[in-house]
Amino acid sequence: MIGSFVYEALPMRVVFGVGALDRLGTEIAQVGLSRVLVIHGPDRSGTGRRVAETLGERAVGVFAEARTHVPADLARRAAQTAVGLGADGCVTVGGGSAIGLGKAIALVRGLPIVAIPTTYAGSEMTPVWGLTEKGRKRTGRDVGVLPRSVLYDPALTVSLPGELSVVSGLNALAHAVEGLYAPDATPMVSLMAEEGARALATALPKVAAHGADLDARTGAQYGAWLCGAVLGATTMSLHHKLCHTLGGALDLPHAQTHAVLLPHVLAYNQAAAPQAVAALARAFGAADPAGALWDLAGQLGAPRSLREIGMAEGDIPRIVEQAVLHPYANPREVTAEGIRQLLHRAWAGERPKVA
Ligand code: NAD
């Protein structure tokens, strides 16, 4: 059944396909840039150099210090570097960390971003920025931080190690799952979520088996694009809230935490989200999507317990406390006892239980 809805498209260009990097010069000009700062993380210097070489004189500098969760002092230094070099925009090369740093510069200096994503996390599709200071991560929405253009070149993801590819792909799947039962879900975004989930569930086993398989990499990045767009268009619920809480309180690794929790949160919500279940059942070809996700994680060799990614059982009560402190959107009521049971199963690595 189609109800009433409000749909707002986000303004951005997407250039997709093997070899998309060759179009970077054209894309820069298309969005009106001629002097860009190239941003990447310390272990991506090979790709960063390639990007800077592709741009020639239009790359006025390289900032190679992007780090996860965007420390505020690093963002200040990067912004000063961009201004000092007279940059009129930034090109980010990498995952959420590089894009996050570009967004922080866009936020304070208004410099537009062209993003070249090399993981499946999806930040390039969202107007959400984050900054970490004194151990606290602040986040906000500002359409000014949305990249003007995104170049997806699956060839650049071939180097992403198998384990990271798998957890990053499951991170992307989480956006689709929560987008399907979001309070602001719309038919258009739900189509993207279902197709994104299908593409990722199909491609990830092939990526895990043969990381150099360009067809599989293309399918995974296509799915990641769609799932990222869902993240940018909808309000996330319990799963993202719990991942944020676990990451902030215990410093658990971002994508791995998503991979472990997703089947459990979906199982918690399934009875209250029949349309989402129907879409995911079609995408996965399985009647119980939470069980299918759990099986997929096992097949992919992804972590399936919070214990194995560094959480102590004794931490469960304080995470429960934080998770129920402020109300937020979720199809099923979030109760302390419900979250305690969910977290305990996820911590121990038990099969998710549909409530
Ligand atoms: P990341 O950007 O930190 O990258 C993870 C690691 O993979 C890094 O060491 C990186 O150098 C390496 N890497 C990236 N691409 C590679 C490649 N092609 N080959 C080899 N190695 C490669 O991780 P991520 O999961 O992409 O992003 C996580 C961060 O993004 C978190 O801080 C998260 O909060 C944020 N995020 C924000 C949003 C948003 O909408 N604002 C959305 C998703 C994630």
Side-chain angles (χ1 to χ4, degrees):
M1 194 192 75
I2 310 286
S4 9
F5 59 85
V6 175
Y7 171 71
E8 186 179 350
L10 291 171
M12 59 162 43
R13 285 168 60 81
V14 170
V15 178
F16 186 95
V18 174
L21 181 59
D22 298 340
R23 299 207 21 197
L24 180 57
T26 318
E27 277 309 297
I28 299 274
Q30 175 79 35
V31 300
L33 304 178
S34 57
R35 297 175 56 81
V36 297
L37 177 66
V38 177
I39 294 176
H40 61 80
D43 60 354
R44 306 305 315 136
S45 46
T47 318
R49 207 175 311 118
R50 219 181 121 197
V51 167
E53 280 167 13
T54 304
L55 290 171
E57 286 179 354
R58 287 164 296 180
V60 293
V62 175
F63 193 89
E65 298 174 54
R67 270 197 286 138
T68 191
H69 300 314
V70 197
D73 53 350
L74 180 72
R76 275 190 285 273
R77 209 149 45 72
Q80 278 161 9
T81 304
V83 171
L85 290 167
D88 58 7
C90 295
V91 171
T92 67
V93 191
S97 298
I99 297 160
L101 189 54
K103 285 178 169 179
I105 299 173
L107 187 68
V108 290
R109 300 287 181 174
L111 299 186
I113 304 170
V114 172
I116 307 175
T118 62
T119 71
Y120 305 134
S123 176
E124 69 281 357
M125 282 289 127
T126 85
V128 178
W129 55 266
L131 276 173
T132 305
E133 196 152 33
K134 296 189 183 117
R136 283 185 69 85
K137 186 165 181 178
R138 280 188 300 130
T139 59
R141 283 179 90 88
D142 187 323
V143 86
V145 308
L146 194 69
R148 296 281 172 84
S149 179
V150 179
L151 273 79
Y152 287 106
D153 189 336
L156 298 178
T157 62
V158 165
S159 55
L160 194 62
E163 197 214 322
L164 205 50
S165 301
V166 158
V167 290
S168 190
L170 292 169
N171 180 180
L173 261 173
H175 312 330
V177 168
E178 295 232 294
L180 281 165
Y181 54 59
D184 44 6
T186 59
M188 173 83 134
V189 175
S190 295
L191 283 172
M192 292 197 284
E194 182 176 332
E195 172 68 355
R198 186 202 58 74
L200 277 164
T202 308
L204 286 179
K206 297 178 198 159
V207 165
H210 293 290
D213 178 340
L214 257 190
D215 279 349
R217 288 289 185 182
T218 301
Q221 206 168 27
Y222 166 67
W225 162 51
L226 291 169
C227 293
V230 173
L231 177 68
T234 53
T235 305
M236 295 288 113
S237 299
L238 175 63
H239 172 79
H240 283 74
K241 168 77 178 176
L242 273 181
C243 289
H244 194 85
T245 306
L246 285 163
L250 307 175
D251 206 22
L252 295 190
H254 176 81
Q256 286 82 346
T257 308
H258 274 275
V260 173
L261 273 188
L262 185 60
H264 295 277
V265 178
L266 179 57
Y268 183 84
N269 280 334
Q270 266 185 189
Q275 283 198 341
V277 170
L280 292 168
R282 286 191 297 270
F284 298 155
D288 168 18
L293 269 177
W294 164 260
D295 293 335
L296 178 67
Q299 182 193 352
L300 297 174
R304 288 202 292 188
S305 72
L306 293 172
R307 175 170 40 191
E308 77 191 272
I309 61 168
M311 183 179 178
E313 190 175 10
D315 287 324
I316 293 176
R318 85 177 151 116
I319 300 300
V320 173
E321 219 169 274
Q322 288 186 32
V324 296
L325 204 56
H326 303 291
Y328 47 90
N330 196 59
R332 179 179 160 196
E333 191 192 355
V334 175
T335 64
E337 181 52 21
I339 301 308
R340 194 195 62 73
Q341 286 182 22
L342 181 165
L343 281 176
H344 194 271
R345 294 189 87 81
W347 177 82
E350 291 168 19
R351 194 176 178 82
K353 191 167 168 224
V354 176

